[in-house]
Amino acid sequence: MEGTNPVNKKLAAALSGGAALVVALSGCGGKDDGPDPKLQAWAKSVCDAVPAQDAKIKAANAVIDKTAADTTGTPDELQKAYAQAFQDMSDGYKAIAAAIGDAGAPPGVDGGAKRQQDAVKNIDGLSASYADLEKKVDALDTKDQGKFATGLHDVATEMKDLEKQSRNGTEALKNLEQGDVKEAIAEQASCKKISASPSATVG
């Protein structure tokens, strides 16, 4: 579809790297003696929730890339693909935020409660923004190609705000992950799995 394909590519470019925030949870290295057992347990509760959500977000990104390259899809097909991808990304980030929130403050860490709360707030905000995009895509007029293309353009423009939110979320996770917390995360097999992922960019 010539009318929407250039906009598709712009949207895909704006969304590239959406999984980077989740990857920020993966630690690197770690000391031989390891951190406090209570902190290890905290890290495990967070890390165990990561792989499934990381996979969901990466799959959603893949759908967006595939849809962006689709020159034959109808507006209805494009709408359905984008809406589902946005919903999956929203659900993935929401689950990550819930895992960090449910884990509570990392034990024995100075300022841990605030760092944990900041991470939850930022990731929850990102989840809400993707949910909002899903609603906007769902509301697009697929009967009028011109209006549909304009609507997709507006969605792509809003991605600039999401890029900033993603950076803020990544910074909040890095802040949470400092010192002993980073060491505890590095010890977890589930976070090591994410660190070994081809798309891992943090750590």
Side-chain angles (χ1 to χ4, degrees):
M1 247 185 105
E2 293 183 3
T4 57
N5 193 51
V7 181
N8 276 345
K9 292 186 181 300
K10 181 178 179 182
L11 187 60
L15 281 164
S16 63
L21 187 151
V22 174
V23 177
L25 281 170
S26 60
C28 300
K31 296 180 180 178
D32 292 338
D33 54 356
D36 182 272
K38 290 182 179 179
L39 189 56
Q40 290 268 25
W42 178 91
K44 186 177 187 304
S45 70
V46 173
C47 283
D48 284 357
V50 173
Q53 306 311 321
D54 179 71
K56 178 181 288 188
I57 291 169
K58 286 176 183 173
N61 274 318
V63 168
I64 289 167
D65 288 341
K66 181 179 179 181
T67 305
D70 185 359
T71 59
T72 61
T74 66
D76 283 329
E77 290 169 341
L78 297 177
Q79 179 188 53
K80 182 178 180 180
Y82 281 129
Q84 186 61 58
F86 285 141
Q87 185 61 60
D88 286 347
M89 294 179 89
S90 175
D91 290 345
Y93 285 127
K94 184 175 183 179
I96 293 291
I100 297 173
D102 291 345
V109 176
D110 290 340
K114 184 180 187 305
R115 285 153 56 180
Q116 177 235 6
Q117 290 164 8
D118 285 346
V120 171
K121 180 180 178 181
N122 276 278
I123 303 172
D124 261 339
L126 193 58
S127 171
S129 293
Y130 276 114
D132 184 58
L133 285 180
E134 186 268 336
K135 291 177 182 177
K136 289 182 178 179
V137 169
D138 260 344
L140 294 180
D141 184 355
T142 59
K143 305 302 180 186
D144 185 313
Q145 182 173 320
K147 289 182 179 179
F148 183 70
T150 298
L152 276 186
H153 182 275
D154 291 341
V155 169
T157 300
E158 288 190 32
M159 294 309 300
K160 291 180 180 179
D161 291 334
L162 276 186
E163 288 173 10
K164 181 179 179 181
Q165 279 188 280
S166 183
R167 288 195 299 271
N168 289 343
T170 298
E171 287 304 311
L173 283 173
K174 285 182 180 178
N175 191 39
L176 173 63
E177 187 183 87
Q178 306 217 351
D180 289 344
V181 175
K182 187 177 182 69
E183 293 172 26
I185 287 175
E187 296 287 332
Q188 307 309 313
S190 46
C191 272
K192 285 180 181 178
K193 179 180 179 182
I194 300 301
S195 185
S197 166
S199 69
T201 57
V202 178

